[in-house]
Amino acid sequence: MNKQENKQAVKVKSNSPYKQYLLFGLLLLLIPALVKMGVIKYSFLTIIASILIYAIVALGVNLLVGYSGLVSLGTAGFMGMGTYLAAYFTSDLNLPFEISLVISVAVPMIIGVLTGLVSLRIEGYYLAIATLAISEILRKVFVEFDVVTNGFSGKDADYPKLLGTFELNRDSTFMLIVVILVAVMFITHNFINSYTGRALSTMRGSEAAAQAMGINIYRYRLLSFAVAVGYAALGGVLYIHFIKYTYPNAWTLLFSLNMLAVIIIGGVRSIPGTILGSFIVFGVPDLILKNLPVIGEIDGLAYVFNGVLIIIVILLYPAGLIQFWHNLKMKIAKGRKGKEGNNA
Amino acid sequence: MHNATHENKSMADNVVLKIDDLSIAFGGLKAVDALTFDIKEKEIFGLIGPNGAGKTTAFNCITQFYKPDRGIVQFRTNKGEVENLVGKKPHEIIRKGLVRTFQNVELIRELSVIDNVLVGSHIEFHASVLSQIFKLPKARKEEAKFRQQAEEVLRYMGLYDIKDQLVAGQPYGVLKKIELARTLMCEPKLIILDEPAAGLNDSETLALTAIIREIRDKYNCAILLVEHDMRFVTDLCDRICAISFGKLLAVGTPQEIQANEQVQTAYLGKGDE
Ligand SMILES: Nc1ncnc2c1ncn2[C@@H]1O[C@H](COP(=O)(O)OP(=O)(O)O)[C@@H](O)[C@H]1O
Ligand SMILES: [Mg+2]
């Protein structure tokens, strides 16, 4: 009996979540059809697409904060840079979507690495300060460098054209976002479960242990920050090709802080938690609260909601709201075991 | 005082670690003061001394967590070359074949027991990031190979049954064992253990004595350890170095150390430290 229980416990842990991710993606792919059928409001598709894009960005933030123990306050700047570059390459230069995508992700990553090279050498928390500065500089660039960015009026782009032939529309771009999100979930899962992922967790948990085991802390900090910037820029590219519009004030410190809120509320060190967090932080105010009578009228409702939620979560669910789900699963598993025991 | 080539010649063939004139001070406090000793291949070597004598500090100077003010740390690497470790970065040391544990157990609470042990073979992994995120054959093979090795080590240490549990919440004695297991993943030439028996009861301590001897034989490595428990040290060690206030008192066999007057004085009135 005991042995069996042990085996079950092990299995639950090592079960790969790919199937769950795929199922999640398939369900999301149904949404455009549900909108057509009138089950879901037309405007909700945009909100959900934004939530999914922000989830990609937040996965990078979680990699950084949850696994590497670093904090970036520049997520907005790097994501914004992704939007502007992609808009410039596809709208102004008429470059193919794929090439624009690669450059628009690579350039912010290079700038991220340069920021990291300077700030990560001594102490991890310098990164927060350096990224805050870089992000503000970038926003200034979005405003001032108007030959490329159009200044305060912002910049437009179209839905993507894949391989130079397939012009996507609103629905198929949504589907592209879903596919990329699921791919990013897969990749992130593999990454955190690789030796590199263990190295990141180790340097977060104990710098002494990391060094004694041959982990070059500086190098791994740089790597994880570069990846987080890459995710942010990828999110930016998807954003500009779905929302089709970017402007400087979308990329403020507040946005970067919201990204931290996503992982704190959803669950640090959890992929499903990150997705959940994105739905709560960016979804609940727009999808639910705004439609409520009286409450929906309050100005700055989203801030109040997120602020209060963070406090509640930190006090009651330090592992994030995804804990609810884990507890539920445990209860179900226990219930089953109890029944089996009774039968035997 | 010495030049490098001279030092290389001065290290006998069967010596794996030789520290010479090692010194470090914190403010006015000479935590390690002109410490000199050597460790032979496959030797189990004990470093003893009252609390605050500078044992941990000496370990930190050897493994380059602290930069010594003076002195050299010669080490015969796993490639058979003799190198001075002073000036190297802490993360470079394990690649030479020198691995350590910590007095205050440094494990990762959020990782499982086996994942913590796998961190010990970090330097043996070579798959690229791309190979890892797409789980290409190279990354997969590597991971499987070292996971199997980690399982063997865990079985050997009697930790196999808890391999998938989190480290957080494990009893202290188990943590000490996991940390020891982690050192066995990198084909070490010398393992440095800072108070490996702390927190263990009598029977566990006895078992640890046997395990450490076995490790020496199985992995063909030398072991340098700090321990307060005099019986543990005299039972286990081939030679012992006693220090007090950072200074060397005596080096010798357990019998010689026990008979040494200076050592007795240093320990007098300090109870059973
Ligand atoms: N990083 C440090 N800064 C200042 N003093 C230190 C530091 N590390 C150790 N010391 C001092 O050096 C002395 C030796 O400490 P330690 O090596 O830990 O002794 P032990 O022999 O018990 O391991 C102690 O007086 C301790 O306070
Ligand atoms: Mg000590």
Side-chain angles (χ1 to χ4, degrees):
Chain A
M1 184 68 205
N2 252 339
K3 253 186 191 167
Q4 254 178 355
E5 265 179 13
N6 271 344
K7 258 184 201 164
Q8 266 176 345
V10 171
K11 255 190 189 165
V12 170
K13 267 211 96 210
S14 60
N15 223 354
S16 89
Y18 296 154
K19 269 187 207 155
Q20 291 164 34
Y21 295 172
L22 275 179
L23 187 68
F24 173 67
L26 288 174
L27 289 176
L28 288 174
L29 287 177
L30 296 177
I31 290 178
L34 293 177
V35 173
K36 278 229 170 68
M37 288 155 57
V39 182
I40 296 177
K41 267 205 244 170
Y42 183 81
S43 64
F44 277 19
L45 187 75
T46 307
I47 297 174
I48 294 173
S50 318
I51 291 171
L52 302 182
I53 293 168
Y54 296 147
I56 294 174
V57 179
L59 281 172
V61 176
N62 215 340
L63 210 60
L64 197 66
V65 177
Y67 289 89
S68 317
L70 296 170
V71 175
S72 162
L73 296 176
T75 314
F78 292 111
M79 183 172 176
M81 195 176 178
T83 65
Y84 276 104
L85 288 173
Y88 178 68
F89 290 137
T90 56
S91 304
D92 296 12
L93 299 187
N94 283 318
L95 285 181
F97 169 75
E98 291 80 7
I99 293 179
S100 153
L101 173 74
V102 170
I103 308 177
S104 306
V105 171
V107 172
M109 280 176 85
I110 291 167
I111 294 183
V113 167
L114 293 177
T115 315
L117 278 175
V118 185
S119 59
L120 283 174
R121 190 168 271 286
I122 312 162
E123 285 287 346
Y125 57 77
Y126 285 135
L127 183 72
I129 302 161
T131 48
L132 181 61
I134 289 287
S135 192
E136 282 308 300
I137 293 170
L138 284 172
R139 211 161 60 84
K140 267 277 178 297
V141 172
F142 302 158
V143 176
E144 304 291 341
F145 195 44
D146 48 10
V147 196
V148 171
T149 65
N150 264 343
F152 276 115
S153 7
K155 202 153 178 74
D156 300 317
D158 276 327
Y159 293 123
K161 191 181 195 183
L162 295 188
L163 303 168
T165 39
F166 306 106
E167 286 199 35
L168 301 189
N169 57 22
R170 188 167 179 258
D171 287 352
S172 46
T173 306
F174 179 88
M175 291 177 168
L176 177 72
I177 292 168
V178 171
V179 170
I180 292 181
L181 170 64
V182 173
V184 168
M185 289 168 76
F186 272 75
I187 285 175
T188 308
H189 174 81
N190 290 348
F191 190 63
I192 59 190
N193 288 291
S194 68
Y195 79 88
T196 303
R198 284 193 295 268
L200 299 184
S201 289
T202 304
M203 72 178 187
R204 173 181 181 263
S206 161
E207 285 191 12
Q211 288 176 314
M213 294 306 128
I215 294 161
N216 183 341
I217 291 179
Y218 182 47
R219 213 172 91 200
Y220 279 91
R221 279 180 181 162
L222 267 182
L223 175 69
S224 72
F225 181 53
V227 173
V229 169
Y231 281 23
L234 173 63
V237 173
L238 295 176
Y239 181 95
I240 189 71
H241 286 295
F242 186 84
I243 307 292
K244 304 208 291 183
Y245 176 61
T246 181
Y247 64 105
N249 281 344
W251 313 113
T252 58
L253 175 63
L254 183 69
F255 179 87
S256 302
L257 294 177
N258 270 339
M259 282 298 159
L260 293 174
V262 166
I263 63 166
I264 292 168
I265 290 173
V268 174
R269 295 175 71 85
S270 164
I271 292 174
T274 308
I275 314 289
L276 177 69
S278 189
F279 268 92
I280 293 172
V281 170
F282 296 107
V284 172
D286 280 354
L287 294 175
I288 300 171
L289 297 184
K290 264 190 196 159
N291 300 316
L292 295 178
V294 191
I295 298 179
E297 318 275 295
I298 301 173
D299 264 352
L301 181 65
Y303 308 134
V304 178
F305 171 73
N306 288 332
V308 171
L309 203 54
I310 287 182
I311 293 168
I312 294 176
V313 167
I314 290 178
L315 289 179
L316 301 180
Y317 294 91
L321 292 182
I322 197 71
Q323 194 59 40
F324 270 124
W325 169 245
H326 292 316
N327 290 349
L328 195 73
K329 267 206 298 199
M330 289 249 278
K331 264 186 199 147
I332 293 171
K334 258 190 200 159
R336 265 193 208 147
K337 252 180 222 164
K339 267 185 198 163
E340 274 170 22
N342 286 342
N343 290 344
Chain B
M1 190 167 142
H2 305 285
N3 67 44
T5 44
H6 172 74
E7 287 308 329
N8 287 354
K9 275 175 199 155
S10 76
M11 194 158 134
D13 276 353
N14 63 341
V15 171
V16 64
L17 178 83
K18 178 174 178 184
I19 69 171
D20 194 355
D21 195 30
L22 198 66
S23 310
I24 191 169
F26 299 109
L29 176 84
K30 290 179 175 170
V32 174
D33 194 2
L35 197 57
T36 300
F37 62 78
D38 60 18
I39 299 175
K40 305 197 168 55
E41 306 237 14
K42 297 203 65 181
E43 192 170 33
I44 300 180
F45 191 96
L47 184 61
I48 61 167
N51 238 331
K55 305 177 297 289
T56 300
T57 306
F59 280 6
N60 282 333
C61 287
I62 294 170
T63 51
Q64 300 307 306
F65 276 80
Y66 292 163
K67 298 285 158 247
D69 298 335
R70 233 178 40 230
I72 52 171
V73 178
Q74 285 188 88
F75 184 67
R76 192 178 304 280
T77 69
N78 40 21
K79 296 193 182 68
E81 293 154 1
V82 176
E83 285 186 40
N84 185 0
L85 299 183
V86 175
K88 297 209 169 9
K89 301 223 168 67
H91 69 256
E92 293 170 341
I93 300 304
I94 191 174
R95 285 178 200 273
K96 308 289 174 200
L98 202 178
V99 65
R100 67 172 292 181
T101 65
F102 295 86
Q103 187 174 339
N104 309 309
V105 186
E106 297 282 347
L107 292 169
I108 312 309
R109 299 167 51 83
E110 297 86 359
L111 294 184
S112 66
V113 172
I114 192 167
D115 278 351
N116 265 280
V117 173
L118 272 165
V119 173
S121 52
H122 177 81
I123 57 166
E124 312 276 350
F125 281 87
H126 299 292
S128 67
V129 172
L130 279 190
S131 183
Q132 293 173 71
I133 62 176
F134 294 116
K135 282 208 172 172
L136 300 183
K138 175 163 187 192
R140 248 188 245 214
K141 258 184 221 155
E142 219 175 46
E143 180 76 17
K145 178 179 154 197
F146 290 113
R147 202 160 273 276
Q148 197 187 345
Q149 189 190 334
E151 284 176 2
E152 278 161 24
V153 167
L154 285 169
R155 198 171 283 127
Y156 173 62
M157 299 287 294
L159 298 169
Y160 186 80
D161 289 341
I162 59 160
K163 74 182 169 75
D164 290 309
Q165 293 177 13
L166 287 186
V167 154
Q170 301 291 345
Y172 192 72
V174 171
L175 297 180
K176 280 275 174 196
K177 272 189 178 176
I178 299 170
E179 222 195 3
L180 179 55
R182 186 174 65 186
T183 66
L184 302 178
M185 295 292 292
C186 63
E187 297 181 16
K189 290 260 311 189
L190 172 64
I191 305 177
I192 295 187
L193 305 173
D194 202 343
E195 306 201 7
L200 302 190
N201 63 32
D202 284 355
S203 66
E204 285 173 327
T205 306
L206 209 62
L208 184 67
T209 314
I211 288 179
I212 291 180
R213 273 208 196 95
E214 265 178 60
I215 288 174
R216 186 258 313 266
D217 295 335
K218 191 169 169 194
Y219 293 86
N220 259 316
C221 60
I223 288 161
L224 165 60
L225 58 90
V226 158
E227 194 44 68
H228 279 305
D229 186 337
M230 261 316 251
R231 226 187 67 199
F232 176 81
V233 179
T234 45
D235 269 7
L236 180 60
C237 295
D238 301 314
R239 282 193 307 148
I240 294 172
C241 169
I243 64 173
S244 175
F245 295 108
K247 278 200 170 72
L248 185 127
L249 292 179
V251 184
T253 63
Q255 292 72 31
E256 287 166 355
I257 292 297
Q258 274 176 321
N260 186 295
E261 255 174 51
Q262 268 185 301
V263 177
Q264 282 171 356
T265 320
Y267 274 87
L268 217 65
K270 299 247 175 199
D272 51 12
E273 248 181 6

